[in-house]
Amino acid sequence: MPSGRKLVIVESPAKARTIAGYLGDDFTVEASVGHIRDLPQPSELPVDMKKGPFGKFAVDVDNGFEPYYVVDADKKKKVTELKRALKEADELYLATDEDREGEAIAWHLLAELKPKVPVKRMVFHEITREAITRALQATREIDDRLVDAQETRRILDRLYGYEVSPVLWRKVRQGLSAGRVQSVATRMVVERERERMAFRTAEYWDVTGSFGHPSPASEAHEGRFDAKLVQLGGRRVATGRDFDDQGRLKSGGKDVVHVGEDVATAVAAGLQDAAFSVLSLETKPYTRKPAAPFTTSTLQQEASRKLRMGSRQTMRTAQGLYENGYITYMRTDSPVLSSQAIDAARRQAAELYGPEFVPDKARVYASKNKGAQEAHEAIRPAGDHFRTPAQVAKELSGDQFRLYELIWKRTVASQMADARGSTASVRVAADVPASPALAESGAQGDTQAVFAASGTVITFRGFLAAYEEGRDVDRYAEEGGARKGDRETRLPQMAEGDDLDARDLAAAGHSTSPPPRYTEASLVKALEERGIGRPSTYAATISVIQDRGYVTARGQALVPSWLAFAVVRLLEENFDRLVDYDFTAAMEQDLDAIAAGQKDRVAWLTQFYFGDAARGPDAEGLRDLVANLGDIDAREVNSIPVGDGITLRVGRYGPYLEGPGEDGGEPRRASVPEDLAPDELTADKAREILEAQPDGDIVLGEDPGTGHTVVAKKGRFGPYVTELLPEPDLDPDLSAAARKKALAALPKPRTASLLKSMQLETVTLDDALRLLALPRVVGTDPESGDEITAQNGRYGPYLKKGTDSRSLPSEEAIFEITLEEALAIYAQPKRGRGASAAAPLRELGEDPASKKPVVVKDGRFGPYVTDGETNATLRKDDAVESITLDRAAELLAEKRARGPVKRKRATTRKTPAKKTTKK
C-alpha cells in the first residue's frame, strides 16, 4: 500500500544525492542512470520478429516508422528497483532534464513503469534549494512534441547509419560508421586539409622602423614607436591577406604593389638618411563590449582556448558541476540570463570592482543562431547569489575549479560596463631616392614611402577588469591582426607636419600561411555557424570521429587520416546530398519544427526515407539512394594520386604508397609513416619513402650463439628472416651427382616468417632471434610424457603435442604461454574431424538470401559464419561479440559470388590405345 511517499526520478546518482538533500523525508529520490530503453540491434530482436517489418532497423518503416524499444540489458535491474520504489509511493515526479533527451527519458520511464499513481513532470535549470522548491510548485505534463523530435532524431540516425555504414564496410574497411553529423564534421576537417594540400606559398617583404621626435619639446613628445611600410609610390603594399591560396595576388593586384626582397632592401637603404614627417594623424574613441554569457558551444570553445580542455572533457566537467549544484544546466543554446541571475551578477560586480563598473541598465542578450533552443537560460553559477571562486576553492579542485572560475568570470563580466579609451592612427612619409630595383617595380624617379602605426589607450577597463574573451588562431596574426584591446599601446604626442627621425630601418621577408587546421574550438564554432547538429552533441561527435580513426589530435589541431579521405570521397561521390552542409542544416531545422509542432514526424521521415516522386529525382529518398548506387570501384575510392606516378592507397592494414617499379617490373610499395600528416606528403616525400624501402637483404646483425649473419628479406609469401650459413668447403673434383648429394647433407639455414605485428623495415636482431628459435618448448605433458611446443604456422600460432595441434589466441602467446596454460587448452575437447560439432558461438537470425538460420562458429582457421550451406570466415576487423546479421549476410553473399574454390587435380598421362587393323 502507498505510504504517502513521493518518488522523484532523475538521470544521475550525483544529481539524486544533491536533490535529496533539499527535499524532506517524504521524498525518495532515485536515478535512472540515463536512458532505460533504446532501439535494439536487429540481431537482438526476438526470433519471431527478425523475419517481420522490424527485422532490418528495429523500426517498421512501412507502418508509420514505429520503433521497437527494449530495456537495455544493463538497466533491467535498475528498472526492477524503480518499480519496487514506485509501489511504495503515492506520487511520481519525473525530474529529468528539460530538453529533448530528458523529455524522452521521462516518456520511456512512464511507458515502462506504468504507474497507477498521479504523475507530474518536474523541471529545473539549476540544482539549488530555491530552484527545486519552485519546480515542485510548477509541474506540468510530458511534452509530446519534444518526445516526437527526439524519437525522430533517433530513428533518423538509425536509418542513416544502417543504410550507409554497410557501404563503407564493403568498399573501404570493416568497422567504419557513417552518421548525419559525424560524416559532415569529418568532411569539414578533410576539406580544410585539402585546402592545405593545394596551398601554394607566396613570398612578400616589408620594411619596419622605429620613429620619434629628434628633439622632443616636452615629455608628451618623448618616446618612440614602431611602424611598418604600408604604401609605396601611391600603391598599397601587399600583405598576406592580398594573396589567394595559390600564391597569386587577388583581383590581379590592382592598386597593390608586391614588394620583393630587392625592392624592400632598396627602400630600407634609401631611407637611412631620409627626412620623415607626420603625413596624417587620426584619433577616435575606443569602446568594447563584453561577450555574452556562455552557451554550450561558446563554453566548449573558450574552455579549449583558455584551459586546453577538449569538448568531451569540458562537458563531463560541466556535468559534474551541474549535478552538484554549482552551475545551471550545461546544455543550452541561449545566452539569456534570468532576472535573478542579472541581479546577482550586477550586485557582485559592484561589490568586487566598484559601482562605476556596472552600467545603469542591465544588459540583455539574444541568440544569433536562428535555430537556437532557448528552453534554458545561459550557463552561469547556480543560485540567486553567486559564490565566488574563492568561496568554492576548498570544495572544488582541478578541472572543476578552473571551469567554474571561467563560467563565473564570464557571467559577471557580461553585466559590467564597456571598456573605454582612444585609438590613434599615424602615417609617416618620406621620399625614397630612385634606384634600379624601384624602377623594376614600376616607380618613376623618387618614390614616396608611407609607414603606419596605431595605438590604443584604455582609460577605463570596465569588464576587462574581470574577463577577456579568447580568440582562435589567426593565419594573419603576424601582420598585426590581433584584435584591438588585447594589448595597450601608446603613441607619443605629435601633430601633422612634425618632423620625425627613423632608426633601425630593416627589410623583412614573410611567407603566406595555409588555412589553419580546425581545433575542437574552431570546429564547434564552424558547425554551429552552419547550423549543423546541436551544441549538446558536438562533444560526442568529435569523440566519435576520433575513435573511428577519421581524425587525430596533433596538439590542439585536428588532423584527418587517409582513411577519412577515402570515406569522404565515397560519400561525396555517392551520397552527396547526405553530406551537403545546407541539407544537413535543413534537417536540423526540420527537427526543430517537429519539436515546435509545426511538422509531422511520420510525414517527414517518410519523405526522408522513401523520397517524394512528385518533386523529381532531387527528392530521392535514402532507400532508393542506397539501392541505386551501381558499382562503386573500391580501388578507385581508396586511391589518392600524389604525383610522379605515385598513388597513395588506403589498404586494409593502413595507408601505403605504390609507385612504378624499375624497368616496368612489379610496383614498389611502402607504408606511410603514421606521424606524417596528409598535407606533408608531397611527391618528393613520397619518392623518398619509396626509395628508403629496402629491395634486397637487410642485415640485422650476428647471432651471438652461432656467429652467423642474420638478414631480413622480402619473399614470395611475405617478409621473413633467415641466417646466412658459410659457404661449404667441398672438394672441387667431386662429380655433379656427388656434389648434389653432399649439398643435400649440409644443414639448412633457419628461416621464419615475420609476425603480422612486425614490419620488414623495423624488425630488429632480437625479434629475428626470437623467431629463429621457434618452435619454443613450453614443457612436457606429465601424463603422456610428450613435449609441447609453441610455433607459428601457415594458419596462425598453435601448440603441438605429438600429432595433436591446438590454436593459440595470439602471436604473442607463442612466447608467453606457460605449461599450465597449455595443459588447460589441451584439456578442452578438440573441435575437428571426428569430434562432435561444437555449439555455435552466437545465433544471428535468418539469412535474407537463403532463408536459413545464420550462426557464428569457431573453426580450425578461426571464427566463421554459416547458414548450413555456405561458410565465410570472419575478417580481421569482425568481432564475434559484435558482428551483426547484416554483416554476416554480406560475408556469405560475397562467398557465394566467388563460387567454390577450384583445386588443381594431378593429371596422369594416358597411354594412347593401340589401333586395331581392319580385317
Side-chain angles (χ1 to χ4, degrees):
M1 293 292 293
S3 58
R5 295 192 64 81
K6 301 173 179 64
L7 175 62
V8 180
I9 302 180
V10 296
E11 297 101 318
S12 76
K15 191 174 176 182
R17 286 193 297 271
T18 307
I19 292 175
Y22 300 140
L23 298 174
D25 294 336
D26 293 339
F27 289 86
T28 298
V29 186
E30 295 286 348
S32 67
V33 195
H35 275 281
I36 60 167
R37 301 198 310 179
D38 196 9
L39 298 174
Q41 298 286 342
S43 60
E44 298 169 350
L45 287 169
V47 176
D48 59 328
M49 294 185 66
K50 292 180 180 179
K51 301 178 182 178
F54 293 95
K56 186 174 183 180
F57 304 113
V59 175
D60 186 353
V61 297
D62 295 315
N63 291 289
F65 291 87
E66 179 189 351
Y68 177 78
Y69 295 110
V70 297
V71 175
D72 295 335
D74 58 344
K75 292 297 178 66
K76 290 181 179 179
K77 182 179 178 182
K78 173 56 65 177
V79 170
T80 301
E81 292 173 357
L82 293 176
K83 286 181 177 179
R84 188 182 306 119
L86 185 58
K87 287 181 180 179
E88 300 175 359
D90 62 359
E91 262 187 302
L92 173 62
Y93 287 81
L94 298 174
T96 51
D97 295 333
E98 192 188 13
D99 56 13
R100 295 174 187 173
E101 213 65 32
E103 206 73 15
I105 292 174
W107 181 79
H108 281 292
L109 284 166
L110 191 63
E112 189 64 31
L113 298 179
K114 299 178 178 61
K116 297 178 181 178
V117 297
V119 179
K120 297 179 180 179
R121 178 77 171 100
M122 173 181 168
V123 294
F124 43 84
H125 304 143
E126 59 182 344
I127 305 178
T128 60
R129 190 178 299 277
E130 299 86 355
I132 299 302
T133 302
R134 287 194 291 263
L136 283 172
Q137 298 168 355
T139 58
R140 61 170 174 80
E141 299 293 322
I142 287 179
D143 190 334
D144 291 333
R145 297 178 305 175
L146 289 179
V147 176
D148 270 355
Q150 189 277 341
E151 193 169 58
T152 305
R153 183 190 300 273
R154 183 69 186 93
I155 294 171
L156 168 65
D157 289 342
R158 171 58 64 96
L159 299 176
Y160 192 119
Y162 274 46
E163 289 286 25
V164 181
S165 296
V167 181
L168 301 182
W169 303 344
R170 292 193 298 269
K171 301 301 179 181
V172 182
R173 185 185 296 177
Q174 275 298 311
L176 301 181
S177 68
R180 179 175 51 89
V181 178
Q182 69 159 343
S183 295
V184 173
T186 303
R187 182 188 180 193
M188 292 173 67
V189 177
V190 167
E191 283 195 334
R192 179 59 57 86
E193 195 73 8
R194 288 172 178 165
E195 292 173 11
R196 291 174 63 87
M197 293 165 75
F199 178 80
R200 297 294 177 267
T201 300
E203 301 288 336
Y204 63 96
W205 286 65
D206 59 22
V207 181
T208 57
S210 173
F211 298 86
H213 279 282
S215 301
S218 66
E219 289 186 6
H221 291 83
E222 289 182 349
R224 306 189 67 80
F225 61 93
D226 294 331
K228 183 173 68 174
L229 179 70
V230 296
Q231 190 173 315
L232 188 63
R235 292 193 294 166
R236 184 171 59 83
V237 173
T239 66
R241 301 173 190 269
D242 295 304
F243 296 90
D244 62 22
D245 286 350
Q246 294 302 306
R248 300 177 299 238
L249 280 174
K250 300 174 183 176
S251 305
K254 294 179 180 178
D255 301 322
V256 177
V257 57
H258 182 186
V259 173
E261 181 178 5
D262 292 344
V263 174
T265 304
V267 170
L271 291 175
Q272 292 299 329
D273 299 318
F276 284 90
S277 63
V278 177
L279 188 65
S280 65
L281 181 68
E282 180 184 4
T283 303
K284 57 183 179 181
Y286 166 79
T287 303
R288 185 172 160 198
K289 298 181 182 296
F294 279 133
T295 62
T296 302
S297 169
T298 54
L299 177 64
Q300 291 176 15
Q301 294 173 48
E302 197 72 341
S304 175
R305 298 185 194 108
K306 288 185 177 291
L307 307 181
R308 294 294 187 265
M309 291 171 63
S311 298
R312 178 162 45 181
Q313 182 184 5
T314 299
M315 295 307 293
R316 185 171 57 244
T317 306
Q319 179 91 30
L321 290 173
Y322 165 67
E323 291 176 348
N324 288 287
Y326 289 98
I327 64 171
T328 54
Y329 191 54
M330 66 288 163
R331 292 188 177 92
T332 175
D333 293 347
S334 173
V336 176
L337 291 175
S338 65
S339 57
Q340 296 98 325
I342 291 175
D343 291 342
R346 289 169 59 84
R347 186 167 54 249
Q348 202 156 63
E351 291 171 357
L352 295 175
Y353 302 103
E356 69 275 14
F357 281 81
V358 181
D360 295 335
K361 292 184 179 180
R363 293 186 184 275
V364 178
Y365 296 90
S367 175
K368 298 178 182 178
N369 184 357
K370 292 187 297 182
Q373 300 175 26
E374 301 192 354
H376 309 289
E377 61 175 311
I379 303 170
R380 61 168 177 84
D384 298 340
H385 301 276
F386 298 162
R387 287 182 286 176
T388 65
Q391 290 171 327
V392 300
K394 292 183 178 180
E395 303 168 22
L396 299 176
S397 61
D399 288 346
Q400 285 199 342
F401 177 79
R402 295 193 301 149
L403 194 63
Y404 179 84
E405 183 181 40
L406 190 70
I407 294 169
W408 178 86
K409 286 182 176 180
R410 177 91 164 212
T411 306
V412 171
S414 72
Q415 290 301 318
M416 292 176 66
D418 294 346
R420 298 189 298 271
S422 62
T423 299
S425 301
V426 63
R427 286 184 166 237
V428 180
D431 289 335
V432 186
S435 69
L438 286 174
E440 289 182 10
S441 70
Q444 303 293 329
D446 291 351
T447 302
Q448 186 185 52
V450 178
F451 289 72
S454 63
T456 299
V457 176
I458 304 295
T459 57
F460 176 69
R461 290 187 59 74
F463 74 91
L464 291 175
Y467 175 84
E468 182 173 3
E469 186 180 29
R471 54 193 175 86
D472 293 320
V473 175
D474 184 354
R475 66 193 289 195
Y476 304 112
E478 76 280 0
E479 299 171 13
R483 185 171 50 197
K484 292 178 181 178
D486 285 352
R487 58 169 178 247
E488 187 171 312
T489 306
R490 289 179 179 271
L491 295 179
Q493 184 175 322
M494 53 191 141
E496 191 172 317
D498 282 1
D499 292 332
L500 302 178
D501 71 347
R503 301 178 190 169
D504 305 324
L505 288 165
H510 308 279
S511 299
T512 54
S513 303
R517 290 191 177 97
Y518 283 111
T519 62
E520 288 198 20
S522 60
L523 182 59
V524 164
K525 183 178 181 181
L527 288 167
E528 185 179 37
E529 288 175 347
R530 291 179 180 272
I532 295 168
R534 277 282 164 254
S536 59
T537 66
Y538 290 157
T541 298
I542 293 173
S543 296
V544 166
I545 63 177
Q546 289 180 314
D547 294 343
R548 291 285 184 271
Y550 297 150
V551 171
T552 56
R554 179 183 286 187
Q556 292 286 99
L558 298 177
V559 183
S561 64
W562 290 110
L563 177 64
F565 275 74
V567 168
V568 168
R569 179 179 177 183
L570 185 148
L571 294 175
E572 287 175 335
E573 294 179 357
N574 300 280
F575 301 96
D576 58 325
R577 193 153 52 97
L578 297 184
V579 290
D580 179 79
Y581 300 138
D582 294 336
F583 178 77
T584 308
M587 281 198 289
E588 205 65 53
Q589 293 168 8
D590 290 341
L591 291 170
D592 292 340
I594 293 171
Q598 298 166 355
K599 287 197 174 187
D600 178 70
R601 176 180 74 87
V602 175
W604 189 85
L605 283 170
T606 300
Q607 182 174 322
F608 171 78
Y609 188 68
F610 293 107
D612 187 351
R615 293 170 57 191
D618 290 340
E620 190 177 26
L622 176 63
R623 181 191 63 172
D624 296 329
L625 192 64
V626 175
N628 299 328
L629 283 178
D631 293 330
I632 299 177
D633 187 339
R635 183 175 177 83
E636 183 66 22
V637 164
N638 291 282
S639 300
I640 302 159
V642 177
D644 292 349
I646 302 172
T647 302
L648 181 137
R649 303 198 190 281
V650 180
R652 183 178 178 185
Y653 302 109
Y656 64 93
L657 294 170
E658 185 175 272
E662 294 184 6
D663 301 326
E666 282 291 316
R668 301 185 64 182
R669 296 181 178 88
S671 298
V672 178
E674 290 184 1
D675 59 349
L676 189 70
D679 72 331
E680 297 168 356
L681 183 63
T682 61
D684 290 340
K685 184 64 178 178
R687 198 180 311 108
E688 176 187 325
I689 294 172
L690 284 172
E691 290 172 354
Q693 182 74 3
D695 286 329
D697 299 351
I698 304 175
V699 178
L700 301 178
E702 188 177 278
D703 184 343
T706 63
H708 297 159
T709 300
V710 179
V711 298
K713 295 186 174 187
K714 278 199 286 187
R716 181 181 176 188
F717 301 107
Y720 66 98
V721 291
T722 187
E723 60 181 344
L724 302 181
L725 300 182
E727 286 292 327
D729 185 15
L730 299 179
D731 186 345
D733 296 330
L734 285 175
S735 64
R739 175 177 287 274
K740 184 177 180 181
K741 185 176 180 180
L743 288 173
L746 291 173
K748 301 292 187 292
R750 293 174 297 161
T751 300
S753 297
L754 297 192
L755 302 182
K756 292 178 181 177
S757 58
M758 297 177 178
Q759 292 185 331
L760 184 65
E761 55 270 26
T762 58
V763 68
T764 65
L765 177 62
D766 289 340
D767 295 332
L769 294 177
R770 284 210 309 167
L771 294 173
L772 294 176
L774 295 177
R776 167 179 164 255
V777 177
V778 178
T780 302
D781 186 336
E783 293 185 3
S784 65
D786 292 331
E787 190 176 70
I788 301 175
T789 59
Q791 48 200 300
N792 200 25
R794 179 181 178 187
Y795 302 111
Y798 67 100
L799 291 172
K800 188 173 183 181
K801 182 177 69 171
T803 58
D804 191 357
S805 300
R806 301 295 175 94
S807 296
L808 284 174
S810 67
E811 293 175 327
E812 289 73 19
I814 298 173
F815 307 101
E816 299 171 357
I817 191 167
T818 64
L819 177 60
E820 291 73 20
E821 292 169 339
L823 292 173
I825 291 175
Y826 274 104
Q828 301 295 324
K830 185 173 183 179
R831 296 171 186 171
R833 186 175 298 175
S836 58
L841 303 179
R842 283 186 62 197
E843 297 179 359
L844 301 180
E846 185 182 276
D847 181 69
S850 67
K851 304 301 181 185
K852 295 186 177 182
V854 178
V855 297
V856 184
K857 288 191 171 186
D858 195 10
R860 179 183 177 189
F861 308 127
Y864 66 98
V865 291
T866 179
D867 64 350
E869 292 182 353
T870 306
N871 300 341
T873 304
L874 299 193
R875 307 285 171 78
K876 180 182 178 183
D877 297 326
D878 295 322
V880 173
E881 299 78 13
S882 60
I883 189 169
T884 64
L885 176 62
D886 291 341
R887 174 58 180 158
E890 177 190 336
L891 292 173
L892 291 171
E894 289 180 358
K895 184 65 179 291
R896 293 189 197 101
R898 289 199 299 269
V901 177
K902 296 181 180 179
R903 290 184 170 85
K904 293 183 179 180
R905 294 183 178 180
T907 58
T908 56
R909 183 177 295 178
K910 293 184 178 179
T911 304
K914 293 182 179 179
K915 294 182 180 179
T916 57
T917 55
K918 194 181 276 189
K919 291 184 179 179

